[in-house]
Amino acid sequence: MAAEAASTLFSATQTRVVRRDLLELGVAYALILATIWTTNPTQRVLYWLTFAWILATSWARREGWEILGLGTTGLLQSLWVVGVALLGTGVVMFLAYRTHTLHRLHGPKPLLEHAWGYLVWAVMQQFILQSYFLLRLLRLLPGKALPIAAAAIMFAVAHLPNPVLTPITLIWGVVSCMLFLRYRNIYTLGLAHGIMGLCLAVTVPNSLHHHMRVGLGYSRYRTHVYKLPTQLIPPAH
């Protein structure tokens, strides 16, 4: 009787866990897609709702910094990933320079401010992909290959219809999830993501990736020309 009661309790607990994971995943992903495929001011509201949902549900889990990949575990061991990203970026930028496709980052922001903002966003994306999606998919799906594939596909779909970012994020989604399971560190993955993303932004023509936009932003892309302030333009002679 005791064994049967324990089995029933375990089964009920497992059911609650599955339902909770499905709810959290479903709501988070629906909010992400809704944010991508709407315009301001609705988009801004949905962005903060998504941020609040992911933050609140992550906090409620109380899984610990190390499990989420936010601790120091694997930090030094995984620094080689950043090194590979830097090396690859150097090669790609050199080739872009030689083929005359190297260009400035989009927008009027100073370079360092723009790059720093993107690096922070890259870390946030890796948190969503691994610490949020992958950890829940590992509890919902058998093995490791299936959860990794599911997480990578979800990540890539969120970058539609961008023809450059969609296939790249599918590949990076698989690779970064495998690296996360090995090293359990978000920081190196986020830094590598940021480096490679900035590299794409300045080496691939804007006409292809539409300033790295996704969703409705990609579809409604229009070319913007940023002019220098008149005081910086030398007088005609």
Side-chain angles (χ1 to χ4, degrees):
M1 292 293 292
E4 184 178 347
S7 177
T8 302
L9 179 61
F10 177 77
S11 178
T13 302
Q14 286 293 97
T15 300
R16 285 196 297 270
V17 170
V18 168
R19 287 177 178 174
R20 181 176 179 180
D21 283 331
L22 284 172
L23 175 65
E24 291 176 356
L25 270 177
V27 173
Y29 200 57
L31 285 171
I32 288 171
L33 294 181
T35 302
I36 291 169
W37 288 98
T38 53
T39 57
N40 282 321
T42 305
Q43 186 180 64
R44 189 174 296 109
V45 174
L46 287 171
Y47 172 87
W48 287 110
L49 282 175
T50 306
F51 179 83
W53 175 262
I54 292 175
L55 182 63
T57 51
S58 297
W59 180 264
R61 287 280 182 175
R62 300 188 181 278
E63 291 178 301
W65 296 104
E66 301 299 331
I67 292 176
L68 294 174
L70 297 175
T72 57
T73 299
L75 179 61
L76 295 179
Q77 295 90 329
S78 60
L79 280 177
W80 67 268
V81 179
V82 179
V84 171
L86 286 170
L87 180 61
T89 293
V91 172
V92 172
M93 290 186 70
F94 174 75
L95 293 174
Y97 172 75
R98 294 298 300 269
T99 56
H100 308 290
T101 61
L102 191 64
H103 55 275
R104 58 164 292 176
L105 286 171
H106 168 65
K109 288 184 179 180
L111 176 62
L112 290 179
E113 181 182 346
H114 197 149
W116 172 250
Y118 184 77
L119 288 174
V120 172
W121 172 231
V123 173
M124 290 173 63
Q125 287 188 68
Q126 293 301 144
F127 177 86
I128 294 171
L129 174 57
Q130 276 95 34
S131 305
Y132 201 87
F133 287 165
L134 181 61
L135 290 184
R136 284 160 178 76
L137 288 168
L138 285 168
R139 292 191 290 265
L140 292 169
L141 302 173
K144 292 183 179 179
L146 198 54
I148 288 174
I153 291 171
M154 292 173 71
F155 189 51
V157 168
H159 288 80
L160 287 172
N162 194 306
V164 176
L165 296 183
T166 302
I168 289 176
T169 52
L170 179 61
I171 297 170
W172 173 245
V174 172
V175 172
S176 62
C177 283
M178 293 173 64
L179 291 170
F180 177 78
L181 292 180
R182 180 175 181 180
Y183 297 108
R184 195 65 65 141
N185 192 277
I186 288 296
Y187 304 119
T188 49
L189 295 176
L191 185 55
H193 177 161
I195 292 168
M196 293 185 293
L198 289 169
C199 175
L200 282 174
V202 299
T203 58
V204 178
N206 288 323
S207 59
L208 295 179
H209 60 65
H210 293 190
H211 299 314
M212 307 287 279
R213 297 180 182 183
V214 299
L216 200 60
Y218 179 90
S219 302
R220 295 189 173 185
Y221 167 81
R222 295 290 184 275
T223 302
H224 296 280
V225 178
Y226 289 91
K227 298 180 179 180
L228 290 172
T230 54
Q231 64 269 25
L232 297 181
I233 302 177
H237 295 287

